């Protein structure tokens, strides 16, 4: 549980109080809402029409929330019951779009925080996608392929009726990669008797997927870091970097950092940290995590000059650039202080809301270039929207072309956040820049569409 670090405008305080009252016990959702509302005081002064139309109150209330039972059988025949969620938060800009998360920590408050963030992130991409998110408290760790398949099939047997390429388009997130998307897509196709490629993104290349989608979130986060540094006359070349996690986002953030001449010296999982001062061996990391689906500890067993710190804190490792790419609230106020003391100059969030509110303020007060997740990791969903474009036109683009589109989108997002922060009198504050630019876009669309 974290405390909210900043103050709200006096006109916005009652709106936040109502959010607390209407959504009891959902601390992550409260945190995400508070962070956005902190940015909006300046907006309602300049544009009072948003208050007249109650746009803030409407944005904080999901358009639809679905909660359902997922019964499935393990390999021994034992029956398990999980709970799944799909929160269709806001469709002002397009169909609901956002990933599915499979992790035992999932409950409604986590999915609502992620869905809320997704509205603003998707708006920043400039592409026609609304915000949504889903998931289940199912724990995929240690489960066989057959068990994962049966779980995904059972989940989709309910979820399919809420989806559609013009309605709601899920993708992956923690615990959901291409394997799970395959099982979900197969069951959707079977139930609906439709080969509707645009209903899910993150698909395999042979069946409607897009090149660069796998790499997109990690690559995009690094492109955003590069832009933040460029705006200060700096670069990533030769920088020492640490990347938390060792999943999809972490691996491809590390890959792009290395391609841009930086050195990645540490990564992690929920059990421990690997430090490899000579630079992480990406092929070995991919072999262990993507091919063998094993734990990060194995890296040190196979690479003698790397060390494994059981239960270690990755933010204790001195670095120039930090990329949190594991999960929410993984980087506390004291972790942020440690990073600043150790000379960290930039933080780009690959994960969603990985830095606590105290941590964010530590970075901002210290003048660290800090890119919040909803801007920095938007490359994943942006490339999902590019996958939808390719599906709609029955086309497939080359890696080079798709990567160029991703890079341009990340540069545009950086530019939008940077310019908006300047316009509202807070230069260099990417949090305010992102929140305000995204809110204006969604808010204007909602006003235009009337009271719906
Ligand atoms: P993966 O499941 O591929 O990897 C998650 C990684 O984070 C694993 O190394 C995992 O370790 C670690 N992790 C998860 N939970 C915890 C925890 N409670 N404490 C410590 N480590 C943890 O997920 P992704 O890489 O897809 O997602 C990572 C982050 O990026 C999430 O915040 C997600 O919402 C965000 N994101 C993902 C996008 C995507 O396209 N995939 C798009 C935008 C944001 P372990 O194996 O030990 O659990």
């Amino acid at each position: 549980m974290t405390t909210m670090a900043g103050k709200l405008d006096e006109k916005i305080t009652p709106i936040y109080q109502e959010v607390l009252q209407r959504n009891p016990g959902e601390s992550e959702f409260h945190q995400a809402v508070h962070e956005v509302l902190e940015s909006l005081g300046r907006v309602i002064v300049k544009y009072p029409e948003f208050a007249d139309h109650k746009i803030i109150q409407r944005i904080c209330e999901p358009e639809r929330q679905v909660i359902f039972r997922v019964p499935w059988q393990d390999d021994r025949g034992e029956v398990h019951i999980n709970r799944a969620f799909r929160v269709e938060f806001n469709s002002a800009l397009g169909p609901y779009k956002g990933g599915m998360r499979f992790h035992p920590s999932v409950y409604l408050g986590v999915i609502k925080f992620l869905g809320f963030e997704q509205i603003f992130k998707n708006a920043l991409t400039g592409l026609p996608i609304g915000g949504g998110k889903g998931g289940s408290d199912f724990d995929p760790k240690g489960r066989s392929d057959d068990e994962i398949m049966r779980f995904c099939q059972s989940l989709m047997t309910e979820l399919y009726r809420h989806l559609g390429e013009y309605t709601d388009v899920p993708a992956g997130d923690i615990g959901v990669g291409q394997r799970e998307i395959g099982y979900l897509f197969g069951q959707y196709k079977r139930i609906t008797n439709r080969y509707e490629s645009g209903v899910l993104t993150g698909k395999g290349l042979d069946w409607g997927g897009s090149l660069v989608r796998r790499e997109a979130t990690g690559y995009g986060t690094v492109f955003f870091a590069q832009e933040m540094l460029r705006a200060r006359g700096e670069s990533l070349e030769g920088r020492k970097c640490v990347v938390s996690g060792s999943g999809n986002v972490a691996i491809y953030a590390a890959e792009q950092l290395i391609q841009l001449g930086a050195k990645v010296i540490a990564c992690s999982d929920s059990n421990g940290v690997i430090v490899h001062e000579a630079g992480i061996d990406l092929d070995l990391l991919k072999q262990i995590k993507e091919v063998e689906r094993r734990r990060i500890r194995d890296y040190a067993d196979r690479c003698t000059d790397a060390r494994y710190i059981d239960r270690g804190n990755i933010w204790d490792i001195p670095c120039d650039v930090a990329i949190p790419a594991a999960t929410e609230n993984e980087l506390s106020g004291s972790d942020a202080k440690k990073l600043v003391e150790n000379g960290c100059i930039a933080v780009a969030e690959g994960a969603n809301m990985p830095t606590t509110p105290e941590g964010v303020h530590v970075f901002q007060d210290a003048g660290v270039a800090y890119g919040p997740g909803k801007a920095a990791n938007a490359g994943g969903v942006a490339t999902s929207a590019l996958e939808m474009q390719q599906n709609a036109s029955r086309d497939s683009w080359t890696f080079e072309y798709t990567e160029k589109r991703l890079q341009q989108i990340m540069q545009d997002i950086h530019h939008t956040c940077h310019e908006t922060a300047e316009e509202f009198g807070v230069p260099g504050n990417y949090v305010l820049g992102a929140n305000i630019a995204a809110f204006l876009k969604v808010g204007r669309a909602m006003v235009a569409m009337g009271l719906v």
Side-chain angles (χ1 to χ4, degrees), residues 214-325:
R214 182 183 53 173
E215 294 83 358
T217 309
Y219 277 23
T221 303
V222 174
F223 292 148
F224 194 89
Q226 187 186 30
E227 290 306 307
M228 291 197 298
L229 289 173
R230 208 198 308 267
R232 298 169 166 222
E234 312 261 12
S235 87
L236 279 166
E237 175 106 40
R239 298 288 182 191
K240 260 193 187 184
C241 306
V242 305
V243 180
S244 66
S246 49
N248 172 265
V249 180
I251 287 173
Y252 291 96
E255 184 165 281
Q256 188 56 233
L257 284 166
I258 294 166
Q259 282 175 21
L260 292 175
K263 192 199 246 188
V264 180
I265 56 162
C267 63
S268 62
D269 64 17
S270 55
N271 296 122
V273 177
I274 285 290
V275 184
H276 192 178
E277 291 289 346
I280 292 282
D281 175 344
L282 207 59
D283 290 338
L284 178 58
L285 184 65
K286 285 184 183 177
Q287 175 65 28
I288 291 170
K289 298 305 299 183
E290 293 188 332
V291 180
E292 300 174 22
R293 295 181 189 271
R294 296 177 66 87
R295 311 298 297 158
I296 195 81
R297 171 196 291 271
D298 288 36
Y299 185 100
D301 295 340
R302 298 187 206 174
C303 184
T304 46
D305 60 337
R307 64 195 159 95
Y308 178 69
I309 312 170
D310 193 39
R311 304 275 151 209
N313 182 353
I314 194 165
W315 311 123
D316 289 342
I317 315 291
C319 64
D320 304 313
V321 176
I323 310 277

Side-chain angles (χ1 to χ4, degrees), residues 101-103 105 113-114 118 121 133 141 171-177 213-214 216-218 244-251 268-272 289 294-295 324-328 330 349-354 373 377-381 384:
R101 175 177 290 192
F102 294 170
H103 194 272
S105 63
F113 120 63
L114 290 163
Q118 200 83 44
K121 179 190 308 197
K133 197 83 188 187
K141 273 200 196 97
D173 190 82
I174 290 177
V176 179
R213 177 60 193 90
R214 182 183 53 173
T217 309
S244 66
S246 49
N248 172 265
V249 180
I251 287 173
S268 62
D269 64 17
S270 55
N271 296 122
K289 298 305 299 183
R294 296 177 66 87
R295 311 298 297 158
T327 195
E328 59 271 11
E330 57 166 308
E349 294 183 338
N352 285 308
M353 207 168 74
N377 72 37
V381 74
S384 277

